[in-house]
């Protein structure tokens, strides 16, 4: 543009209100024109008309508003953040203030090297986060005194629900259907476990912990320390419950366990809890990592992912996800859980917190918290308040003459107390200072706190307010990793060393079909660290969270508009949780109409594994519907099954566009057919990136969908979580969405039962999707969808000359992703999809989705954020790999020794003198195309042996000598 042109632009143009659209969308306008020409269409509009069936095309624009600039959006969100009042919180109940070490805040939470990574399905380029998660598992094992930990669950309450499910699977009391929950467990935990039990068809009895012995049960859930802060020695009770063949789960707290005897030593079979207070901000409820630890005997029954140690082809130690065959991708409705996206980024933060502080540092923090609590207890005892605790760690419960008046006095001093039916409580945490305690004491007792320092010295002499036999005496965190990085320099380098092993979006495109790895813009990420969002307690009085509430309302309204639904429930904290929540709403709706018997869920064979796993959790019977050769739902099979099962039909779960990457023409017909049999339609929203602004589930005729905000709405994948899976529903389902036992979440009945621990799920990351939506506005959202489709069709067009494309829809086009069929290649040459996936690493790329939804294929989704240049590099890599396959096919390279089967190549390979024996050069191995030289990514291990790792299961930190 010339200077005179710039001078003649209007102020509107100079403000660049739409500039962000151009930053989010990868290809420039000129590139888009070239790509359109390449695929033989004139415009994005023409392409849209070619791919999206006419009958479902929206004819009105979205109502999300005009795009805002980054500065405008940030300023407005700041004004909302300022409406949050972050009180001094003593509410506790599983959520505590914590100091995120700045070195972890900046280099992990705020670092795209960590937050833009994918779930470590390609372990050779994920050894960094795999090591960080292994550290998480090790610390959970050490603190709980049990054998085997999972790689994180969604929150404490759902972890407890998973513990109940495990208890049912492994208890020897096979015929029993009754689960016991102690009444001193957190109310949100009871709520979530009860909801799950009801869905599973288990009965639940809630009573005093000792009551467990009066029932014939398959398991019991106790809390340690309990809701009131009491630390009870339940050894005998636990032994007695176990003697009745029931499985005992202790919900517990990692900070308390720095001082307390471990759950394992008390005899528990399972320990669950939240790792939030290990450096992860409360964020109005999440995201945080929950932990799940159990005995070795139950390892095959564990829910969620587990990281294990194996070997690579050079015999070196290498980490990867263990026992994957337990989970829903393989086991479908027989899986242990429906957990897919979990909380990896937050588990990593918690594990780094433990690495940074080490065993001594953590014990010091815990002791300080306990000492401050002792001071408050002493003051309460000397006042008119009545202290209810005998033994405590950080939480006190007491009664006042007038509880309400005391709560009010505290609130006017900016202090939140816990309100517990007829008592009040305080929980202290790492952030509490001596001055805070002095203030708290004077608010509670209405008298000056006196000389707190003298009190401190006096209490220091007395020691802990916990009896000796409940203090832990075993050593924890003895592994060198927890004893080596306590200086910031060492810590910084350790974090960086791990980061360097991992390929994330800040290196190259991650074209994971179905997972939509788009740009996570920095502007979108920044607000999650603002103290007004990060520091909010989920059970703070709702009027203190006015900014959060307004932000959630605005985002909900936009999502309602985008999905064509009538209402939205923000509680589910992953896509799979959304499925479960949506199916529960459907079942409650049927029940409300006297249709309790409707229990059949139809699921096409191409469905994502979480669909059948979630259906099973909602106690539905899965009936699989066939797909035809084009990958569409086989209408004849569907009609026959709907007819046959009509009386008991609950719902169908479909994905749109289908997991095969095409807009099925008959989707409306499917919805009508199901409705005509009295069923409901659940549309899996994972592929919303191909719908936004062009069509919508509500418009098509579906009743409920989850949205994966971590796919379509720009929340980063975090190396395997966090995510958010809110559900949109039509009006008739709105009364049946999840409620919450502690906080009223809206018009719906609170007794609908909760699906997550926090009322609005992982509210702390909603600013990302809020920012995403408003920065793009109606116009940019629609354009994003159109370019996502353009990028996918451009890529397909260029790959199809070299590889067969499995499915195509109207006009031979695809939607936003394509499936490359590698089965013919494998049959002809012996080179597998796995070889190609690993070889892509040598070219600096993460493999696309492997073998989903069809075995022996790769599913590629470039998203709108990838530029033409990057897509061209990817095409170049795939074409070059095809050339390599041809060399194997024509005998130039033997099948057992070529760059494909030997991939990925490490530096160790290249410097190895024995490399000379290979039939290809070092250059061909490491720099197969010129572009790689400028930006080489070195996998740090060779191909990993999964079978060895599963046969020799080892899921804790390896001795340093092995590295
Ligand atoms: C990602 C995905 C899910 C599960 O969502 P999570 O957030 O990982 O629990 C369900 N269905 C499809 C098609 C998906 O791609």
């Amino acid at each position: 543009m010339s200077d005179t042109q710039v001078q003649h632009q209007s102020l509107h143009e100079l403000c660049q209100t739409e500039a962000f659209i151009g930053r989010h969308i990868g290809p420039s306008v000129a590139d888009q024109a070239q790509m359109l020409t390449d695929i033989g269409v004139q415009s994005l509009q023409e392409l849209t008309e070619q791919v999206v069936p006419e009958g479902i095309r929206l004819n009105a624009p979205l109502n999300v508003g005009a795009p805002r600039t980054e500065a405008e959006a940030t300023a407005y969100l700041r004004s909302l953040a300022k409406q949050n009042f972050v009180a001094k919180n003593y509410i506790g109940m599983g959520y505590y203030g914590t100091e995120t070490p700045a070195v972890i805040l900046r280099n992990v939470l705020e670092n795209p090297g960590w937050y833009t990574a994918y779930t470590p399905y390609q372990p050779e380029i994920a050894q960094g986060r795999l090591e960080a998660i292994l550290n998480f598992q090790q610390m959970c094992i050490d603190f709980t005194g049990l054998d085997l930990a999972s790689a994180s669950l969604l929150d404490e309450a759902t972890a407890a629900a998973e513990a109940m499910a495990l208890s049912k699977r492994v208890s020897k009391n096979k015929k029993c259907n009754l689960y016991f929950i102690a009444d001193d467990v957190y109310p949100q935990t009871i709520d979530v476990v009860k909801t799950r039990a009801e869905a599973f068809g288990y009965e639940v009895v809630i009573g005093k912990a000792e009551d467990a012995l009066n029932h014939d049960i398959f398991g019991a859930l106790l809390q340690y320390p309990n809701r009131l802060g009491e630390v009870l020695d339940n050894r005998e009770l636990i032994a007695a419950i176990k003697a009745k063949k029931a499985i005992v789960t202790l919900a517990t707290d990692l900070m308390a366990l720095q001082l307390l005897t471990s759950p394992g030593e008390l005899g528990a079979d399972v320990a669950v809890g939240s790792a939030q207070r290990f450096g992860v901000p409360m964020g109005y409820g999440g995201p945080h990592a929950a932990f799940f630890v159990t005995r070795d005997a139950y390892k095959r029954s564990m829910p969620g992912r587990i990281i294990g140690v194996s070997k690579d082809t050079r015999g070196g130690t290498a980490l990867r996800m263990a026992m994957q065959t337990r989970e829903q991708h393989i086991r479908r409705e027989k899986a242990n859980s429906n957990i897919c996206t979990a909380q990896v980024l937050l588990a990593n933060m918690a594990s780094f917190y433990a690495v940074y502080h080490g065993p001594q540092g953590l014990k010091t923090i815990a002791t300080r918290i306990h000492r401050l609590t002792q001071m408050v207890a002493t003051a309460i005892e000397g006042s008119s308040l009545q202290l209810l605790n005998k033994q405590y760690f950080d939480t006190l419960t007491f009664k006042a003459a007038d509880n309400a008046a005391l709560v009010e006095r505290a609130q006017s001093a900016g202090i939140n107390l816990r309100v517990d039916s007829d008592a009040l409580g305080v929980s202290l945490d790492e952030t509490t200072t001596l001055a805070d305690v002095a203030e708290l004491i004077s608010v509670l007792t209405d008298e000056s706190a006196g000389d707190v320092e003298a009190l401190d010295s006096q209490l220091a002499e007395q020691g802990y307010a916990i009896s000796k036999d409940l203090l832990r005496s075993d050593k924890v965190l003895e592994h060198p990793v927890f004893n080596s990085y306590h200086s910031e320099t060492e810590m910084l380098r350790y974090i960086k060393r791990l980061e360097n092993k991992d390929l994330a979006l800040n290196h190259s495109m991650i074209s994971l079909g179905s997972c939509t790895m788009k740009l996570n813009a920095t502007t979108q990420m920044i607000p999650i660290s603002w103290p007004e969002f990060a520091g909010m307690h989920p059970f703070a009085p709702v009027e203190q969270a006015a900014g959060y509430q307004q932000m959630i309302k605005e985002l909900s309204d936009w999502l309602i508009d985008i999905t064509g639904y009538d209402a939205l429930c923000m509680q589910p904290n992953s896509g799979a949780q959304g499925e479960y929540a949506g199916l529960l709403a459907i079942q409650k709706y049927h029940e409300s109409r006297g249709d309790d018997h409707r229990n059949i869920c139809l699921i096409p064979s191409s469905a994502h594994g979480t669909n059948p796993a979630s259906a099973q959790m909602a106690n539905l019977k899965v009936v699989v519907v066939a797909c035809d050769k084009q990958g569409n739902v086989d209408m004849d099979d569907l009609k026959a099954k709907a007819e046959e099962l009509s009386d008991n039909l609950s719902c169908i779960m479909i994905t749109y566009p289908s997991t095969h990457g095409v807009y099925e023409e008959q989707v409306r017909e499917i919805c009508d057919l199901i409705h005509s049999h009295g069923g409901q339609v659940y549309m899996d929203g994972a592929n919303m990136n191909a719908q936004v602004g062009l069509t919508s589930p509500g418009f098509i005729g579906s009743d409920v969908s989850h949205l994966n905000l971590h796919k379509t709405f720009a929340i980063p994948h975090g190396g395997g979580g966090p995510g958010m899976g809110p559900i949109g529903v039509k009006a008739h389902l709105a009364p049946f969405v999840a409620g919450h036992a502690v906080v009223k979440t809206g018009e719906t009945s609170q007794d609908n039962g909760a699906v997550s621990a926090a009322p609005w799920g992982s509210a702390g990351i909603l600013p990302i999707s809020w920012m995403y939506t408003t920065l793009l506005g109606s116009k940019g959202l629609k354009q994003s969808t159109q370019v996502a489709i353009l990028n996918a069709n451009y890529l397909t067009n260029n790959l199809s000359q070299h590889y067969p494309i499995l499915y195509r829809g109207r006009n031979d086009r695809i939607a936003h992703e394509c499936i490359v069929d590698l089965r013919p290649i494998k049959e002809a040459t012996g080179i597998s999809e796995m070889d190609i996936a690993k070889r892509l690493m040598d070219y600096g790329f993460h493999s696309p989705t492997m073998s989903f939804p069809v075995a022996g294929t790769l599913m590629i989704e470039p998203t709108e954020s990838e530029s033409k240049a990057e897509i061209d590099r990817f095409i170049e890599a795939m074409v070059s790999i095809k050339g390599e396959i041809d060399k194997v096919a024509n005998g130039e390279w033997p099948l057992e020794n070529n760059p494909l089967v030997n991939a990925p190549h490490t530096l160790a390979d290249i410097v190895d003198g024995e490399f000379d024996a290979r039939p290809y050069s070092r250059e061909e191995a490491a720099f197969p195309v010129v572009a790689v030289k400028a930006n080489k990514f070195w996998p740090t291990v060779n191909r990993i042996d999964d079978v060895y790792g599963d046969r020799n299961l080892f899921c804790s930190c390896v001795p340093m000598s092995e590295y």
Side-chain angles (χ1 to χ4, degrees), residues 340-341 514 574-576 579 608 610-611 655 684 686 706 708 710-711:
C340 182
T341 294
S514 209
S574 77
E579 294 169 16
H608 193 267
T610 54
N611 290 184
T655 304
D684 182 321
H706 72 263
N708 302 72
H710 48 298
K711 296 178 180 173

Side-chain angles (χ1 to χ4, degrees), residues 55 109 188 219-220 232 272 327 349 353 357 365 420 453 464 470 508 511-512 519 558 599 652 818 905 954 962:
L109 181 64
Q188 73 272 20
L232 291 167
V272 296
E327 285 301 342
M349 285 180 72
Y353 179 94
H357 288 298
I365 293 169
D420 191 300
E453 279 171 43
Y464 299 117
L470 272 173
S508 58
S511 58
L512 273 153
L519 168 74
W558 292 334
N599 69 342
I652 189 169
C818 76
H905 294 84
F954 190 89
E962 292 223 9

Side-chain angles (χ1 to χ4, degrees), residues 386-402:
Q386 182 197 353
L387 184 67
L388 303 182
N389 297 89
K390 295 195 182 68
Q391 237 179 163
Y392 54 85
F393 165 62
D394 67 350
T395 296
L396 304 169
T397 304
F398 49 87
K399 286 184 180 172
D402 184 347

